[in-house]
Amino acid sequence: YKTSGWDVKADYRKPTDIGTFGLHAAATFIKYDQREFAIGGPYYEYAGFPNDGGEGKIKANATLSWEYRRWTAAWTTTYYSSYYQEFSPGSPSALQGLTGVSNFTAAQGGYTIPSQIYHDLYVSYVFDHRGRTSGVSDSHDGGLVDTLLSNVTVSFGIKNVFNTLPPFDSFSPYYY
């Protein structure tokens, strides 16, 4: 194997009067992923060919978050770069002359699968150690509800907020 690429990450937090805002971003950029299957044999490029057993060239995500008292909210965006279909020109399977289901590219209608972007939302609330929300008087009698909610975190999330359908990838035997 010969591979080269970059992993990058950035984090930033800013406290304000209305809460702490944060930004987290991370990405992997793969320049090349070459594999040799026999000593002295040719190297085949796998970066950009996930359906051949490689990986996409770019995957990145960024999260914008907000924390205030016991509340947290976050929005995450994830990006996957476009990639080539198995048996497309230049793919490891095509270059090795492997026999297989070469109708993937015909069913695909082209050699590439477009890039993808997805968005997720997350919100949570943490009850205090007595199960109370902030602002509740200490004269509260501490009943069963307080005991059950002590240090409980309630969270809610929506994956793929915009219900973005993934692009068609005919690699599946059922064209799903």
Side-chain angles (χ1 to χ4, degrees):
Y1 287 86
K2 294 191 298 187
T3 187
S4 178
W6 302 273
D7 289 322
V8 295
K9 178 181 171 186
D11 286 296
Y12 179 77
R13 290 178 56 83
K14 174 71 175 166
T16 70
D17 290 340
I18 58 171
T20 299
F21 291 89
L23 176 64
H24 167 82
T28 296
F29 302 92
I30 299 174
K31 185 176 177 182
Y32 61 83
D33 175 9
Q34 299 173 346
R35 303 176 191 177
E36 177 186 45
F37 293 100
I39 296 174
Y43 282 90
Y44 298 102
E45 178 60 61
Y46 277 79
F49 297 96
N51 291 341
D52 279 281
E55 59 286 309
K57 287 192 168 222
I58 301 171
K59 180 178 179 185
N61 63 66
T63 300
L64 179 62
S65 62
W66 168 77
E67 298 172 14
Y68 185 70
R69 296 184 181 156
R70 300 182 185 283
W71 286 97
T72 300
W75 184 276
T76 299
T77 300
T78 304
Y79 170 81
Y80 301 93
S81 65
S82 65
Y83 58 91
Y84 290 98
Q85 186 55 273
E86 186 178 38
F87 295 104
S88 62
S91 74
S93 54
L95 292 174
Q96 294 176 66
L98 298 176
T99 58
V101 183
S102 60
N103 63 350
F104 290 139
T105 55
Q108 187 69 42
Y111 297 119
T112 61
I113 288 77
S115 61
Q116 304 157 53
I117 298 178
Y118 302 100
H119 302 273
D120 304 327
L121 173 67
Y122 170 82
V123 177
S124 74
Y125 181 82
V126 179
F127 290 89
D128 74 9
H129 68 280
R130 294 173 299 224
R132 299 177 185 159
T133 60
S134 59
V136 174
S137 167
D138 280 339
S139 65
H140 192 271
D141 66 358
L144 179 62
V145 172
D146 284 349
T147 303
L148 290 174
L149 293 178
S150 177
N151 292 318
V152 167
T153 300
V154 176
S155 60
F156 171 79
I158 300 173
K159 295 195 67 80
N160 196 4
V161 171
F162 300 119
N163 199 25
T164 304
L165 292 174
F168 178 67
D169 183 344
S170 67
F171 185 69
S172 165
Y174 306 107
Y175 300 121
Y176 178 70

